[in-house]
Amino acid sequence: MSLLAGKTVVVSGVGAGLGHQVAAAVVRDGGNAVLGARTEANLAKSASALDPDGAHTAYRATDITDEAQCEALAALALERFGGLDAVVHVAAWDSYFGGLEDADFATWQSVIDVNLLGTLRMTRACLPALKSGGGSVVIIGTQSSVAAPSQVRQAAYASSKGALTSAMYSLARELGPYRIRVNTVLPGWMWGPPVEAYVRFTAHTEGVPEAEVRQRLTDRMALPELATDGDVADAAVFLASDRARAVTGQSLLVNAGELMR
């Protein structure tokens, strides 16, 4: 039986990478995917690629810093498919790099507004529909919120995602009486467009083969390979499904065993 047969899932942050893979996994596993992102052209491209006849997808341009747009995306799920069973939060600002000494705190505030408050806005917009029959909230976090990598500094991103993981515990307790589960997936190095770009850039900068840069990453894993966007998407779909009906308030590392807790 398909994990998400007959279920409708809102997926935020659908672009070329993880968001698209999550939406594809939802449709593959029998569900309806309602796609949100700021750029409508990206949404149309993803929807066309994963569901050419449009029977199991709908999309609306959505900026998760805008509460009305969040509410409109949740409403689209009801209008198109008659209900809402889960929301997977992929949307995030992850392109600001640096630490404390060089911090621009105005930018930090913007990162927090997207990653922490934007996720909470989108969750609250989905609550009326989720409360009617229970469901699942799946947050895509990051391993860097619990163990900072040595290769790159993303203190603002890690901090905002760490705050979101902390918020998960309160949400799981608050929403549990409605049979709404709240969980987090924590990816580490994840083979997809951002890491592919990092490998290409590092290889070019150092004048070494891309395979050498990639090997440096895989050498730290218990499994001799990097997790992929698809692996993280599969974990999100599991947590969104009824197979995880007794799982709430948990953080699942998907990292090929780089960090174990």
Side-chain angles (χ1 to χ4, degrees):
M1 184 177 68
S2 298
L3 282 178
L4 297 176
K7 294 189 180 296
T8 297
V9 182
V10 164
V11 184
S12 73
V14 175
L18 179 57
H20 176 80
Q21 292 298 325
V22 171
V26 169
V27 174
R28 177 201 67 199
D29 285 353
N32 304 310
V34 180
L35 318 182
R38 291 182 300 170
T39 305
E40 188 166 2
N42 291 343
L43 295 170
K45 183 177 180 179
S46 284
S48 175
L50 62 92
D51 180 38
D53 64 6
H56 298 286
T57 58
Y59 61 86
R60 179 164 289 165
T62 306
D63 182 341
I64 61 172
T65 65
D66 185 311
E67 195 156 0
Q69 292 186 39
C70 292
E71 291 171 352
L73 185 63
L76 178 61
L78 299 178
E79 294 164 7
R80 179 68 188 278
F81 300 112
L84 177 59
D85 302 285
V87 54
V88 180
H89 296 286
V90 184
W93 184 349
D94 61 358
S95 58
Y96 174 63
F97 294 87
L100 177 63
E101 290 186 299
D102 55 355
D104 173 1
F105 287 123
T107 304
W108 274 60
Q109 286 181 319
S110 296
V111 171
I112 290 169
D113 191 34
V114 174
N115 296 352
L116 173 60
L117 299 180
T119 299
L120 296 177
R121 287 186 194 97
M122 192 68 244
T123 300
R124 187 163 68 176
C126 293
L127 279 185
L130 292 175
K131 285 167 68 174
S132 67
S136 177
V137 176
V138 182
I139 299 163
I140 303 298
T142 175
Q143 180 178 290
S144 65
S145 66
V146 295
S150 57
Q151 291 84 359
V152 295
R153 289 187 300 163
Q154 284 182 293
Y157 175 68
S159 298
S160 65
K161 289 291 192 175
L164 192 54
T165 299
S166 294
M168 172 195 72
Y169 299 117
S170 294
L171 295 178
R173 184 69 67 181
E174 177 185 353
L175 303 181
Y178 302 111
R179 297 191 179 277
I180 299 172
R181 299 174 291 105
V182 188
N183 294 286
T184 299
V185 179
L186 300 176
W189 288 93
M190 178 176 60
W191 192 248
V195 174
E196 291 171 23
Y198 167 81
V199 168
R200 286 194 301 269
F201 174 79
T202 304
H204 176 75
T205 301
E206 298 182 6
V208 299
E210 291 182 15
E212 179 180 325
V213 179
R214 184 167 178 172
Q215 189 63 46
R216 294 175 198 169
L217 300 177
T218 58
D219 281 347
R220 298 200 304 272
M221 312 301 172
L223 299 172
E225 60 184 327
L226 293 176
T228 67
D229 284 357
D231 295 323
V232 175
D234 286 343
V237 163
F238 164 71
L239 290 172
S241 77
D242 290 341
R243 297 287 178 87
R245 63 180 297 274
V247 180
T248 194
Q250 305 301 317
S251 296
L252 176 61
L253 284 160
V254 181
N255 63 2
E258 179 186 13
L259 174 68
M260 304 182 191
R261 304 178 71 198

